[in-house]
Amino acid sequence: MAECRMNARSKPLDNNVLAQAAAWADAGQKVALATVIETWGSAPRPVGSQLAICQDANFVGSVSGGCIEGDVVTRALDSIETGASEVLEYGVADAMAWEVGLACGGKIKIYLEPLTLNPLIPDPAAGA
Amino acid sequence: MKRDTLTRVLDAQKAKQPFVLAINLKTHEQVELTAKLSGQEDWMMAEVHEAIRSDKSRTKTAPDGTPWFFNVFNPPLRLVIIGAVHIAQPLARMGVDAGYDVTVVDPRESFASPDRFPDVTLRSEWPDEALENIAPDARTAIVTLTHDPKLDDPALLVALRSPAFYIGALGSKKTQNARQERLSEAGFSESERARISGPVGLDIGAKSPAEIAISILAEITQTLRRGHP
């Protein structure tokens, strides 16, 4: 199997994440994207910051200062398997604060989704 | 995200067009939006325009109570460097790392060679002509580094008439004073001329070309995030 290798230097940092995600997908790798959708307090990365995760757990970009990336990557690998999208919450109030909480005292919401090769057909039975 | 959507985000970036992806956080429905689009609900287009204007992605609640996330992908910030001199090399590299779409302008083609400046756009027109073509906007920073009034001044004349968020000019205090006088004679008021940062860069005692590039990029960053001092 081809590896999830990084491209060499490329242009703008934030686009880098999506360009790398596209390059992985084009190389036949499965990819997930994590995006900061809301922050409270002293969150280290602003809303819109993205992390792309390849199926072998290689990743590019960031959604925090490195505090929660490990957990996001683990969950991203599940998302790649199941094809499910979800909203993740991290922060001092979270039950998992001791393990993966933010040392800075901030709180972050992350949208985690797999990169899908074909348009998803909405399932009317699925609901919200 | 669909693979096709990802392609369209990257294409919009290349075409320097803003793009917004709206995600329904309950149903996971995704809608691709641009500023010129019609046919979408008013509240949604209002969020799109505001996200593009403020350059900030945001989560908003729709009138029906559903949370939506609006992820804005604005074209990259631009950095135009006049003078393919030694300082321009680290400044161009660091500019790319800081997320800028970097252009180096120098009519002397032996200076502005792709070997010396990989990863950036090179232009060999005279600086005023190059800047007219680049059409700097409010997301553009301009730095003149040639030390030569023949090259720097024409660039500054165009820069001062543009909405560029940062204009910097290399040169000692003496050079700056002489330049200010020439620009005054060219009809620019004191407040207009005050837009030029010169001597360029934050005062951190920089000596080497890379250190000077750091001080310049630090001042550009400060101006971007906090406004002109």
Side-chain angles (χ1 to χ4, degrees):
Chain A
M1 196 199 303
E3 292 160 45
C4 299
R5 257 180 298 179
M6 302 275 188
N7 280 355
R9 286 177 66 95
S10 51
K11 290 207 176 165
L13 208 65
D14 279 323
N15 308 344
N16 230 340
V17 176
L18 291 181
Q20 183 64 66
W24 278 333
D26 289 347
Q29 305 296 316
K30 289 180 185 162
V31 178
L33 285 173
T35 308
V36 178
I37 58 171
E38 254 181 299
T39 65
W40 296 263
S42 58
R45 295 281 284 134
V47 172
S49 304
Q50 292 189 306
L51 177 72
I53 306 99
C54 193
Q55 66 184 40
D56 76 347
N58 208 346
F59 61 90
V60 62
S62 64
V63 288
S64 74
C67 333
I68 61 169
E69 271 76 1
D71 189 67
V72 173
V73 168
T74 308
R75 287 164 188 264
L77 298 179
D78 292 343
S79 170
I80 284 172
E81 282 303 309
T82 62
S85 303
E86 62 178 324
V87 175
L88 307 175
E89 260 184 76
Y90 296 92
V92 285
D94 194 277
M96 295 187 56
W98 287 105
E99 287 165 43
V100 295
L102 295 164
C104 47
K107 195 170 147 197
I108 309 181
K109 257 193 203 175
I110 307 276
Y111 188 74
L112 179 65
E113 56 179 334
L115 188 66
T116 52
L117 290 181
N118 298 308
L120 283 173
I121 299 156
D123 178 359
Chain B
M1 190 192 286
K2 296 171 198 157
R3 178 68 186 83
D4 293 352
T5 303
L6 177 53
T7 299
R8 283 188 285 274
V9 174
L10 294 171
D11 285 350
Q13 293 276 345
K14 250 181 234 158
K16 307 199 192 311
Q17 297 295 324
F19 187 100
V20 176
L21 182 63
I23 303 172
N24 183 319
L25 296 174
K26 282 238 163 89
T27 65
H28 304 291
E29 177 196 354
Q30 305 204 346
V31 185
E32 297 173 28
L33 300 153
T34 58
K36 290 170 198 143
L37 211 67
S38 57
Q40 293 296 334
E41 293 169 56
D42 287 347
W43 75 270
M44 192 176 260
M45 288 316 291
E47 290 302 332
V48 168
H49 289 297
E50 184 52 24
I52 291 172
R53 192 201 58 76
S54 65
D55 196 22
K56 283 193 176 127
S57 301
R58 75 266 318 282
T59 298
K60 286 286 161 171
T61 307
D64 68 2
T66 318
W68 283 76
F69 174 60
F70 294 84
N71 204 7
V72 61
F73 300 93
N74 263 334
L77 296 158
R78 294 190 292 171
L79 169 61
V80 183
I81 303 170
I82 311 296
V85 297
H86 194 171
I87 295 168
Q89 290 178 293
L91 182 57
R93 278 197 298 270
M94 292 173 193
V96 169
D97 273 345
Y100 288 83
D101 186 357
V102 178
T103 300
V104 175
V105 178
D106 202 317
R108 303 166 295 182
E109 286 182 21
S110 61
F111 281 64
S113 79
D115 286 345
R116 281 164 51 81
F117 293 93
D119 292 337
V120 307
T121 306
L122 295 172
R123 300 186 76 122
S124 57
E125 301 125 297
W126 210 257
D128 49 352
E129 195 187 333
L131 270 186
E132 301 273 10
N133 289 330
I134 289 165
D137 57 17
R139 294 170 49 81
T140 306
I142 302 166
V143 185
T144 65
L145 298 178
T146 72
H147 279 120
D148 182 348
K150 278 201 309 298
L151 292 164
D152 283 353
D153 281 15
L156 291 171
L157 296 178
V158 180
L160 284 174
R161 288 189 205 102
S162 80
F165 77 86
Y166 176 91
I167 305 170
L170 190 73
S172 64
K173 287 216 173 75
K174 198 175 149 198
T175 309
Q176 301 295 339
N177 289 339
R179 175 163 32 232
Q180 288 285 339
E181 266 176 42
R182 290 194 304 276
L183 291 171
S184 172
E185 281 162 23
F188 289 99
S189 69
E190 195 177 346
S191 66
E192 285 172 314
R193 285 181 276 129
R195 285 176 67 200
I196 300 176
S197 297
V200 72
L202 295 185
D203 186 4
I204 55 171
K207 289 276 180 240
S208 73
E211 289 171 356
I212 295 166
I214 288 169
S215 83
I216 295 171
L217 197 55
E219 188 174 56
I220 293 174
T221 306
Q222 187 182 53
T223 309
L224 173 71
R225 301 301 178 194
R226 291 190 180 157
H228 199 274

